[in-house]
Amino acid sequence: MVFDAPPATSAAHAWMPSSPCGSGCIDSVDQVGPARVAARLAGVAGLLLSYPIAHAVTPRGKRAPLQRGYARLLLGSIGLRLRVVDNRVTAEERGVVDEGDTTLAPAGFGAAGRGVLIVTGHISWTDIVALASVQPLGFVARADMLDWPMIGKLAELMRVIPIERESLRQLPGVVAAVGARLAAGERIGVFPEGTTWCGRAYGSMRPALLQAAVDTGTPVQPVRLRYLDRHGVPCTVPAFVGVDTFGSSAGRVLRSRGMVAEVVLEPVLEPGPDRRELARRCEAAVRGTASPRHGAETTEWIEAGHTRVQDPSLATDAPEVRRPRRRPMLRGRRSAAVAR
């Protein structure tokens, strides 16, 4: 049986992305017992409490392996196994890496010292842990994450670039911050959908943050991220959607059994001069062979498990807001405040 999800809540402004995914999108999954949940919680607490100390005593040049190791331990502690597929190489060279297997470890998102913009869809707070388990990187993330218990301190140490989605005026500054970090040779992850979806349904990738790659000529690494149950079937349990609080979402993940976070590295893209065209290329790479957001151009619904959600991309686009020319962004080139 399929039921219609309620409409998305009103946005603070016309360009603020919103997702109608909710509790109806969440699958049921095999669960572990209370003792295992308690053990996982203890492991998470131990890692989050010890990491700031380990970070402080580790020389700056050796922190990347430390961060990657902690991210993998944290991913395992919340009950997720990591699976990495590298599609950037030929079929003969391609490797599928499961957590704990270091013989086929991929090169990660890029060489040290060269900036890379990592682009992927957004499903959950677990996305950050999964991506950091492949290679340490910074993120553009919701500003209130810095206030979350324990996670906030970790976000600080990871040098998260906070974004207030409700404040359109702050977006040019975020784009500038991302561009500066990319120009300095850092790896930065962004979620151009602008909000979380359940993982079966998904929204359009908005080009605004991709302007940072265009301005700096930084290569873009598309990543296809999904979560699988113990049978290898795509699953929405980790999704952080609807009325979820961090506590309810974390509890659902901690109770799950046999979940896998699959990270697929697609061929690297050069940014080119047009952020909208870059967004389209990123979306095509990230979606891969998955079903499109809607079955046909005239379809207004996305099938998402047992839920049908309306595709917001079919709504009439609002006009683009352009930044005054007297306030140039990076390298004197124009960086638009936001995209349709």
Side-chain angles (χ1 to χ4, degrees):
M1 177 180 179
V2 174
F3 62 90
D4 295 341
T9 56
S10 58
H13 51 78
W15 301 273
M16 179 176 171
S18 60
S19 162
C21 291
S23 58
C25 297
I26 305 301
D27 298 325
S28 59
V29 70
D30 295 337
Q31 296 185 355
V32 299
R36 177 65 65 85
V37 173
R40 287 178 175 178
L41 275 171
V44 169
L47 289 169
L48 294 180
L49 290 172
S50 65
Y51 178 74
I53 300 172
H55 178 90
V57 301
T58 301
R60 185 178 298 273
K62 297 183 178 180
R63 285 176 181 170
L66 175 77
Q67 292 169 355
R68 180 174 179 266
Y70 259 86
R72 286 204 164 198
L73 289 171
L74 183 59
L75 195 69
S77 292
I78 63 177
L80 294 175
R81 194 174 79 249
L82 177 67
R83 183 172 187 263
V84 182
V85 181
D86 195 343
N87 282 342
R88 300 170 300 182
V89 295
T90 64
E92 292 76 14
E93 299 171 320
R94 185 173 303 154
V96 176
V97 185
D98 279 292
E99 186 180 49
D101 183 353
T102 59
T103 59
L104 294 174
F109 300 122
R114 187 185 184 195
V116 180
L117 186 71
I118 294 91
V119 173
T120 188
H122 202 8
I123 300 170
S124 175
W125 54 272
T126 57
D127 300 347
I128 290 178
V129 185
L131 293 173
S133 297
V134 177
Q135 192 174 26
L137 69 164
F139 290 92
V140 175
R142 50 190 293 173
D144 63 348
M145 179 181 286
L146 297 173
D147 300 323
W148 290 1
M150 294 192 291
I151 293 288
K153 183 60 178 177
L154 190 63
E156 239 179 86
L157 292 173
M158 293 174 68
R159 300 181 64 211
V160 160
I161 301 172
I163 183 170
E164 291 277 2
R165 294 175 59 238
E166 294 82 2
S167 179
L168 189 62
R169 290 182 178 181
Q170 293 185 18
L171 187 55
V174 174
V175 173
V178 173
R181 298 268 291 269
L182 293 174
E186 296 188 36
R187 295 175 293 268
I188 303 294
V190 297
F191 306 101
E193 287 171 313
T195 189
T196 51
W197 287 68
C198 69
R200 287 202 182 97
Y202 44 86
S204 295
M205 290 196 170
R206 305 202 172 200
L209 291 176
L210 303 185
Q211 184 67 41
V214 173
D215 285 342
T216 58
T218 300
V220 176
Q221 171 65 74
V223 173
R224 189 158 16 118
L225 176 62
R226 62 177 184 164
Y227 297 93
L228 311 174
D229 65 18
R230 61 187 304 187
H231 307 293
V233 177
C235 183
T236 60
V237 166
F240 186 35
V241 292
V243 296
D244 263 344
T245 63
F246 176 70
S248 64
S249 174
R252 191 167 60 241
V253 172
L254 287 166
R255 290 191 297 270
S256 67
R257 181 193 297 273
M259 296 287 294
V260 176
E262 184 181 71
V263 178
V264 182
L265 309 177
E266 299 295 347
V268 174
L269 304 175
E270 292 301 322
D274 186 342
R275 71 178 186 275
R276 290 186 180 83
E277 192 269 338
L278 176 59
R280 287 191 290 269
R281 287 189 286 140
C282 286
E283 187 166 341
V286 168
R287 302 311 173 202
T289 58
S291 300
R293 285 177 291 107
H294 40 84
E297 290 184 359
T298 56
T299 302
E300 296 184 356
W301 299 96
I302 307 167
E303 299 294 338
H306 300 296
T307 308
R308 257 188 336 172
V309 296
Q310 194 165 21
D311 184 355
S313 71
L314 295 179
T316 302
D317 286 340
E320 181 181 10
V321 173
R322 295 184 181 274
R323 180 185 47 77
R325 293 193 179 192
R326 66 178 179 274
R327 296 172 57 195
M329 296 297 292
L330 294 175
R331 299 184 181 178
R333 298 173 62 180
R334 185 180 66 83
S335 177
V338 72
R340 288 195 293 267

